[in-house]
Amino acid sequence: MGHASNSSEEAKAKGSVGKGLARVDGAAKVRGTARYVDDLKFPGMHHGLTKRSEVPHGILRGIHKREGFDWSQVVVVTAEDIPGRNTILLIEEDQPALVAIGAHVRHVDEAIALIAAPTRALAREAHGFLDLEIEEIPAVFDCEEALSAEVNVYGDDNILKTYLIEKGDADIEEKLASCDHVVEGLYRTQAQEQMYIEPQGMIASWGEDGVCHIIGSMQCPFYIQKAMRALLALDDDNLVVEQAVTGGGFGGKEEYPSMIAGHAALLARKAGVPVKLIYERDEDIAATTKRHPSVVRHRLGFDADGTIRAIDVDVIFDGGAYLTLTQVVLSRGVLHAAGPYKCENTRVRGRAVATNTPPHGAFRGFGAPQTTFAYERQTQKAAALLGMSPFEFREHNMLRDGDRTATSQLLEGSVGSEDVLRAVKEVAEANPLPKDDPATSIRHGRGVAFYFHGAGFTGSGEARLAGRATVALAEDGHFEVRSSSTDIGQGVQTMFTQIAATGLGVEPDAVRVPTPATDRVPDSGPTVASRTCMVVGRVVGQASVALKNRIESWASENGFGDMPLRQAATAMAKVEGEISETVQYAPPPGIVWDDETYTGSAYPCYGWAACVIDVRVDTDTYEVAIDRCVHAVDVGKAINPVVVKGQIEGGTLQSLGWALWEDVIYKNGKVANDRMTNCIVPTFSDAPEMHTIIVEEPFANGPYGAKGVGEIPMDGPCAAAAGAVEHALSTLVSSEGFDALPVSPEAIQRAMRLDS
Amino acid sequence: MPDALLLHMKVNGEDVEVAAPPHFTLLEVLRYKLDLIGSKQGCDKGDCGACTVQLDGTARLSCLTLAAQADGRKVRTVEGMTAAHLHPLQDCMDKQVAAQCGFCTPGILMAAEAYLTKQARAVSRDEVAEAMAGNLCRCTGYVKIVDAIVEASEIMAAKEQG
């Protein structure tokens, strides 16, 4: 992309990519002036509330407005008020927006009716006077029990989706039997709450022209548009979905916002005024999607010299009551299940099962953390069995450039596997663990994890999405990047500013990246899957260069050849009207993926990472403190290294929190810990200092070499933390004590008592 | 019980008279009556710290504080931090990229400012981690926020001495 230029403005701008600039939205955020959805007001606006089933499985027989309340003050919406199809459309149409009378209720937080009132207090009062009549039927809450299909939640067998990956000709059982050693493990992981600090919320209003306008906290404006088209029976001309400044997402605002948007739109349509629907925290924790609980059986066959020869994995995800995104999450789970290791004989089976719990969904890592936990626990056990160092076993088996993955994808370039492992190993070896003092209750342990994460959509997904982005000269003389990529805290606006400024050869302050609205931006695809920088950033960069070239040739043709780009652009716009360039994503050549056999190029490329976690376990109190956290991540190219480090640090702590403390407790399908004090996430005092190392193995098809970074830091630290606790207590407890998450003080206490 | 109380507070240095229902929290009065939307509602149960403001210089959870309790007192919110320039805490948070989604940021600034003002000296990372444990952030892993608060404490302490 290097365009030679002598202009000093351009020479300065060249450095914009790769610099740790402050965020373009940073000043508004530290001043407290950034406006999130709950900070917005519209004239006559009412407040919405959702009436939920409270019954895990049943048939809705009636909705009754009890006497004693003046119902003329409020608006009540039920399934009868839906103008289009009663569904929250995503992959399938199985999930209703509101359960209709006579239809099935499949989980406790199913939306049945909606209320809008001039004040929240009045809406709450009406909520108490609205009675639901539900005929309860037996329910199933455990995904392994649901496999017996005695209680039917979905289809005939409760199976939402299955996958099979097979590599190698030999029968996997024979191959395992021929290995010198086989390590077998059963791993369980729990649901995890995204716990964005801003609760979910939307405001909907209908104009006199019949246009429905939705604004709110979201990751994917066009997902909402698609769902609203079906629910509200509107075409795109009568539908505008706009993102407000969004207070965190982590996947939690990928799919569920369509539900809230639909509810707000239905209420606003009937009430004739704008309606704001903001979730209370307990409602948000209880009703919205979480990370899929998993059960993973893993068999790792290897020879005495440490060479892995056979891998067999069986993955079960609890999908909850509806399909939502589960099949895609399971896909990523199975595609990562064999790990970043060479192996000629591999089998991975995956099943997602329906239960009567609120649907599980997208959460950073998207299925990969569950299987990564399993394979990295296995790797640790295998290395220990052979007496090899955890680094040596991994170095011996790791995928390198030119190797093939479990789906037989040939890795060609941008493989930072050796670099990331070496980087953390050097820090670890320079900082040996302190020796345990037997006179105290403190035991020290070290855990290592090594992992990869496919960036972008699976297989031919990016080709199907055909994401587009536009760079234009706005009326006020700024260059504007228009895309549907949402900044949810990860720094999209800043990153796109740097990419566009560099492509255009201008200062970053000449570029603006507004929050998207579906009537103002092209569909760049959803803000998910670690794809935003790599895929959308790529087309933003290409559009910027194309626009620069067009302006420059216009300028030289019209005698303005010496004029700085911005001035030339303004002159050109006066003659030509708005000038803009839109580029559609073209996947790298050679991507061949077979969805039937699950073979080929699963992802455009992979990020690679390794981490070392040192812990201190108190055998009296069972508390775990993290003394060291070293994390090396190959991101291709850090467009903004400070922002990238922030992504890695945030993801690392979410992974450590999931490993050691975070849990979602269900009782009869209902979240029992629906507060931030009992559904805990790490605090300032739980967080370790972090040693974060950025490794750059450029990806030829990413902007300036960049590839995905958002999710990979979530995948591995969980396994390293569990491994570190195992190591600390290795003389006291057998390793199975650390095969289920979270490795909480309670779990450690149980493990130590069982073994004593 | 009256429908509304007439409250008098000094909010960010200005005398304010505001009528609010007796059950209103300070957060509700700030957000709904005074349009000071910088203070955020993250949980409404005192768990997350996003609503933290200062009452007579002490950090308080405004979602657990009845507005009536602030009657006759000094209230400071994030809006009061920005004068001609950003406050050193805001500036350090911005430069260190310590605000990602930004929703917890106003509460963190209020808690940190109250803490650093009381300490009136440069503080360590461990001290910050302990003092700030009541404010949740889910984006950053806290690393850059701690960096920013430590740096701001050094700048503020140097100013005091200078």
Side-chain angles (χ1 to χ4, degrees):
Chain A
M1 301 229 175
H3 284 254
S5 167
N6 296 323
S7 138
S8 65
E9 186 197 27
E10 292 180 18
K12 269 188 285 172
K14 277 269 180 301
S16 161
V17 158
K19 278 198 173 156
L21 305 182
R23 294 174 63 107
V24 296
D25 54 350
K29 285 176 172 174
V30 299
R31 286 168 190 264
T33 55
R35 293 212 166 226
Y36 301 78
V37 61
D38 198 23
D39 304 331
L40 304 174
K41 279 193 282 200
F42 292 90
M45 187 175 78
H46 283 198
H47 297 272
L49 206 60
T50 309
K51 183 78 180 179
R52 300 183 185 277
S53 51
E54 303 291 334
V55 166
H57 205 187
I59 297 158
L60 180 65
R61 295 301 182 194
I63 302 169
H64 308 294
K65 293 175 181 168
R66 210 164 66 235
E67 282 181 29
F69 181 78
D70 178 5
W71 288 98
S72 71
Q73 310 169 88
V74 302
V75 167
V76 177
V77 161
T78 65
E80 288 178 4
D81 297 302
I82 294 171
R85 309 205 294 279
N86 185 3
T87 183
I88 300 299
L89 181 60
L90 190 59
I91 294 172
E92 279 189 7
E93 298 204 13
D94 60 327
Q95 183 172 220
L98 293 166
V99 177
I101 290 177
H104 273 77
V105 163
R106 291 191 175 85
H107 65 85
V108 291
D109 281 297
E110 192 113 56
I112 310 284
L114 307 164
I115 299 159
T119 65
R120 285 172 205 256
L122 193 60
R124 270 189 217 113
E125 199 183 336
H127 187 274
F129 278 88
L130 197 63
D131 293 335
L132 303 180
E133 188 186 336
I134 300 172
E135 182 189 328
E136 211 169 334
I137 57 179
V140 62
F141 306 114
D142 180 274
C143 63
E144 287 174 290
E145 272 175 40
L147 281 170
S148 72
E150 280 168 29
V151 171
N152 187 250
V153 187
Y154 182 94
D156 299 329
D157 55 6
N158 292 334
I159 303 273
L160 293 161
K161 188 73 184 177
T162 62
Y163 293 105
L164 173 65
I165 298 170
E166 282 182 299
K167 184 184 180 191
D169 300 329
D171 176 79
I172 195 75
E173 298 296 342
E174 281 174 23
K175 207 70 207 175
L176 281 164
S178 74
C179 293
D180 293 340
H181 304 281
V182 177
V183 168
E184 266 189 72
L186 170 61
Y187 302 94
R188 292 175 189 277
T189 64
Q190 77 283 29
Q192 186 183 20
E193 163 59 31
Q194 291 87 357
M195 208 65 93
Y196 30 72
I197 307 296
E198 182 211 22
Q200 302 242 16
M202 292 284 164
I203 301 170
S205 54
W206 293 73
E208 282 172 15
D209 51 4
V211 175
C212 177
H213 187 272
I214 291 164
I215 184 164
S217 187
M218 66 181 75
Q219 292 180 221
C220 310
F222 283 94
Y223 274 7
I224 296 176
Q225 187 193 59
K226 176 183 168 182
M228 294 309 100
R229 241 185 255 146
L231 179 73
L232 305 172
L234 290 178
D235 56 38
D236 292 348
D237 291 341
N238 290 311
L239 195 53
V240 178
V241 181
E242 182 176 358
Q243 188 213 8
V245 178
T246 296
F250 317 115
K253 292 172 182 171
E254 175 171 353
E255 60 189 287
Y256 203 87
S258 296
M259 178 78 80
I260 306 171
H263 290 167
L266 290 169
L267 281 169
R269 182 174 175 268
K270 191 163 180 180
V273 291
V275 171
K276 178 190 268 190
L277 186 50
I278 307 286
Y279 276 14
E280 301 285 340
R281 178 60 64 177
D282 53 356
E283 180 181 26
D284 197 315
I285 292 177
T288 69
T289 56
K290 276 168 252 311
R291 186 183 306 288
H292 291 74
S294 76
V295 181
V296 179
R297 289 177 177 79
H298 197 296
R299 291 190 293 173
L300 184 68
F302 49 95
D303 282 345
D305 69 348
T307 308
I308 295 175
R309 289 184 47 229
I311 296 173
D312 184 33
V313 197
D314 179 41
V315 180
I316 304 175
F317 280 3
D318 177 351
Y322 295 103
L323 179 68
T324 62
L325 284 168
T326 288
Q327 70 178 59
V328 199
V329 177
L330 180 66
S331 164
R332 193 169 277 272
V334 299
L335 285 168
H336 289 77
Y341 299 111
K342 274 182 289 194
C343 182
E344 286 310 310
N345 300 281
T346 302
R347 180 175 71 175
V348 182
R349 292 173 295 175
R351 285 171 289 178
V353 187
T355 61
N356 292 112
T357 41
H360 298 294
F363 190 158
R364 189 181 214 166
F366 209 73
Q370 291 94 320
T371 52
T372 303
F373 174 69
Y375 74 67
E376 277 306 84
R377 291 290 298 129
Q378 288 282 92
T379 315
Q380 165 140 350
K381 290 177 193 176
L385 189 145
L386 293 171
M388 284 172 89
S389 98
F391 298 108
E392 192 188 352
F393 184 82
R394 288 170 172 93
E395 279 160 5
H396 186 68
N397 289 291
M398 68 166 50
L399 289 168
R400 291 178 169 82
D401 204 6
D403 289 332
R404 287 185 184 271
T405 67
T407 62
S408 298
Q409 174 172 1
L410 177 65
L411 297 172
E412 292 178 282
S414 195
V415 181
S417 53
E418 288 181 290
D419 299 343
V420 294
L421 193 62
R422 189 187 312 119
V424 297
K425 182 183 168 185
E426 278 170 10
V427 179
E429 287 181 350
N431 296 279
L433 270 185
K435 286 254 181 312
D436 288 342
D437 175 357
T440 72
S441 60
I442 302 298
R443 298 289 176 271
H444 297 87
R446 170 168 289 173
V448 179
F450 167 63
Y451 36 99
F452 66 159
H453 194 96
F457 264 49
T458 307
S460 33
E462 291 296 346
R464 263 199 314 275
L465 271 176
R468 288 170 297 139
T470 299
V471 178
L473 182 74
E475 273 181 21
D476 66 355
H478 279 85
F479 291 104
E480 196 168 89
V481 177
R482 296 173 191 156
S483 84
S484 63
S485 300
T486 50
D487 200 317
I488 54 175
Q490 83 285 47
V492 165
Q493 290 176 322
T494 307
M495 189 167 69
F496 282 3
T497 297
Q498 290 180 246
I499 290 173
T502 304
L504 288 157
V506 299
E507 290 292 318
D509 63 7
V511 177
R512 193 171 53 203
V513 186
T515 51
T518 53
D519 62 340
R520 294 201 296 264
V521 300
D523 188 353
S524 325
T527 305
V528 303
S530 308
R531 64 183 291 279
T532 298
C533 179
M534 182 180 85
V535 172
V536 187
R538 164 95 169 162
V539 290
V540 166
Q542 289 171 328
S544 305
V545 171
L547 189 63
K548 174 194 160 90
N549 290 344
R550 212 173 106 202
I551 295 164
E552 281 178 347
S553 46
W554 182 89
S556 68
E557 279 163 24
N558 291 277
F560 300 119
D562 297 333
M563 204 179 254
L565 192 78
R566 260 179 102 173
Q567 275 170 266
T570 306
M572 181 180 170
K574 277 191 187 129
V575 179
E576 309 241 314
E578 190 185 89
I579 47 172
S580 69
E581 285 289 340
T582 298
V583 175
Q584 181 172 314
Y585 183 68
I591 290 221
V592 181
W593 172 251
D594 186 334
D595 218 32
E596 292 300 310
T597 60
Y598 250 56
T599 53
S601 299
Y603 299 101
C605 76
Y606 296 82
W608 304 84
C611 73
V612 171
I613 304 289
D614 289 354
V615 298
R616 211 170 353 121
V617 185
D618 187 325
T619 56
D620 285 343
T621 66
Y622 312 111
E623 284 172 295
V624 177
I626 302 162
D627 284 339
R628 188 181 311 282
C629 170
V630 189
H631 205 166
V633 184
D634 168 21
V635 302
K637 167 75 186 174
I639 299 294
N640 179 322
V642 183
V643 168
V644 165
K645 279 194 174 175
Q647 280 288 290
I648 296 171
E649 290 156 358
T652 303
L653 192 59
Q654 288 179 351
S655 190
L656 295 173
W658 189 49
L660 299 175
W661 304 294
E662 296 179 35
D663 203 355
V664 183
I665 313 282
Y666 291 89
K667 286 190 178 148
N668 290 327
K670 173 89 184 163
V671 175
N673 54 337
D674 60 3
R675 287 186 57 164
M676 285 165 136
T677 43
N678 49 21
C679 192
I680 56 170
V681 296
T683 69
F684 270 94
S685 54
D686 299 314
E689 282 188 48
M690 295 188 196
H691 185 154
T692 303
I693 302 162
I694 294 175
V695 171
E696 297 182 319
E697 282 289 339
F699 171 49
N701 213 51
Y704 305 95
K707 52 190 178 183
V709 63
E711 294 173 284
I712 189 168
M714 178 73 222
D715 290 355
C718 53
V725 178
E726 176 193 354
H727 183 219
L729 302 178
S730 54
T731 57
L732 303 168
V733 186
S734 66
S735 63
E736 285 75 19
F738 311 98
D739 292 347
L741 295 182
V743 182
S744 60
E746 293 87 344
I748 294 170
Q749 182 189 42
R750 274 195 305 274
M752 289 186 66
R753 285 191 177 163
L754 287 176
D755 278 45
S756 61
Chain B
M1 202 157 65
D3 286 346
L5 296 175
L6 194 61
L7 305 170
H8 298 85
M9 306 180 248
K10 200 182 257 297
V11 180
N12 296 329
E14 280 182 38
D15 289 315
V16 170
E17 184 182 277
V18 59
H23 66 269
F24 259 39
T25 62
L26 179 56
L27 179 64
E28 286 172 307
V29 165
L30 292 172
R31 287 183 59 82
Y32 305 147
K33 296 289 178 185
L34 302 176
D35 202 30
L36 291 168
I37 51 89
S39 307
K40 302 301 181 195
Q41 180 176 313
C43 68
D44 213 29
K45 290 186 170 69
D47 299 339
C48 74
C51 68
T52 306
V53 300
Q54 292 167 16
L55 205 55
D56 291 335
T58 301
R60 292 287 289 267
L61 297 166
S62 64
C63 78
L64 293 186
T65 306
L66 279 176
Q69 291 173 277
D71 192 30
R73 301 173 71 176
K74 281 186 281 190
V75 179
R76 182 166 163 89
T77 69
V78 68
E79 286 90 347
M81 280 187 100
T82 318
H85 301 286
L86 290 179
H87 185 281
L89 262 168
Q90 289 174 307
D91 196 39
C92 293
M93 290 274 287
D94 184 25
K95 285 186 180 144
Q96 301 258 14
V97 191
Q100 289 191 17
C101 89
F103 201 78
C104 70
T105 306
I108 283 181
L109 287 166
M110 282 292 103
E113 190 199 27
Y115 170 66
L116 293 186
T117 304
K118 283 210 170 70
Q119 298 302 313
R121 61 179 172 84
V123 295
S124 71
R125 296 185 62 90
D126 285 349
E127 287 175 309
V128 171
E130 194 184 326
M132 295 296 298
N135 288 75
L136 294 176
C137 165
R138 190 60 157 167
C139 292
T140 60
Y142 301 106
V143 178
K144 300 205 186 310
I145 304 177
V146 176
D147 290 344
I149 295 174
V150 168
E151 189 192 0
S153 79
E154 288 159 4
I155 294 168
M156 288 165 70
K159 269 192 190 157
E160 286 281 310
Q161 286 170 359

